[in-house]
Every structure is written in structure tokens, then in C-alpha cells.
Amino acid sequence: MTPPPVDPPPALSPDAPDAPRIRVAVEPTAAGTVLRLGGEIDMDTAHRLDTALRDALSDGGGRRPLSLDMSEVTFCDSTGLNTLLRARQRALRRDIPLSITAVSEQVAHLLDLTRTASLFGLPSSRDPGASDGTRHEP
């Protein structure tokens, strides 16, 4: 006798409690748009960040600045970094200022290791004026 077929395990849905999560809040301001990011940015969630960045860069707001608050991002891998770098390139092509105004310690470490902090208007922790891992634009 043949054993009955076994159903494959269910795929992990983005809404599952153990799934990596990213939070994106869009906040229009008088000076531009702020994206407040939180949670994890990796290969499973970077598409949500990319969509939010694309929307913010093409929302018809002209050349209004786009600021990213990443102070509540607990994890960001190379996929997340590449998403940010691609958004920076899109912003440059459209002449839209894009900056990161606040970072968590983990994001600060990633940007320092890859020497990309200055591309987003942040000082490197290697700079003499840098203080702790959370940085805010002056």
C-alpha cells in the first residue's frame, strides 16, 4: 500500500507572527515627505520599502525633499542597502533631495561598514564629531 500524500508545509505568509516585518509610515510635511521606517529590511521585506520609496519619489510632489527616519529599523541587510542606494539614484535623476535623518545603531553600523553614510547626508562614526549610534540631522 502506498501512504497517503502529505501536504507540504504552509508557506510563511507576510502576516505570520514569525515573518520578518517592516513598518513604513508616510508623513507629508510642509518641507517634503518623511518615511518613518521600523522593523526588519531584508530580502523578504525590501520590496515593501522599494514600493514606498518609488511612490514617494513619484507622487507628483515635484522636487520636494524625501527624508527617511530609520531610527526604529532593527535589521537591514545588503538587500535593504541596495534598495536605499537604488532609491538614491532615482532621486538624483529626478533632482529630488533624499536623506536619512535618523538611524538605529544597527543601520549606523551598516552604513559605516559600507562607507555609504555620507551618501545619505549622515556623518560616519569615524568622523570626529559623531557621537552615539542614533544620529539626527542638525
Side-chain angles (χ1 to χ4, degrees):
M1 282 184 128
T2 338
V6 177
D7 291 330
L12 191 59
S13 94
D15 298 327
D18 294 333
R21 308 289 289 204
I22 182 173
R23 293 180 308 281
V24 179
V26 179
E27 193 176 295
T29 68
T33 302
V34 176
L35 287 185
R36 297 196 189 283
L37 308 174
E40 299 179 8
I41 305 170
D42 58 22
M43 64 185 285
D44 293 327
T45 61
H47 67 282
R48 289 188 58 204
L49 173 59
D50 187 57
T51 299
L53 289 165
R54 283 177 185 275
D55 290 348
L57 290 169
S58 65
D59 72 352
R63 291 189 165 88
R64 295 170 40 112
L66 175 60
S67 303
L68 307 179
D69 178 338
M70 300 182 72
S71 58
E72 294 192 20
V73 173
T74 56
F75 179 80
C76 184
D77 68 4
S78 61
T79 306
L81 178 60
N82 282 323
T83 301
L84 294 171
L85 292 169
R86 281 192 309 274
R88 180 179 176 274
Q89 289 299 318
R90 283 192 300 272
L92 286 171
R93 283 193 300 271
R94 293 181 174 125
D95 198 27
I96 299 172
L98 183 141
S99 62
I100 298 176
T101 56
V103 296
S104 64
E105 210 172 301
Q106 197 278 336
V107 173
H109 183 67
L110 173 68
L111 296 175
D112 285 343
L113 278 177
T114 58
R115 298 182 185 253
T116 55
S118 64
L119 296 176
F120 297 99
L122 290 171
S124 166
S125 66
R126 294 178 176 91
D127 291 343
S131 56
D132 64 16
T134 302
R135 301 196 201 119
H136 297 278
E137 199 172 283

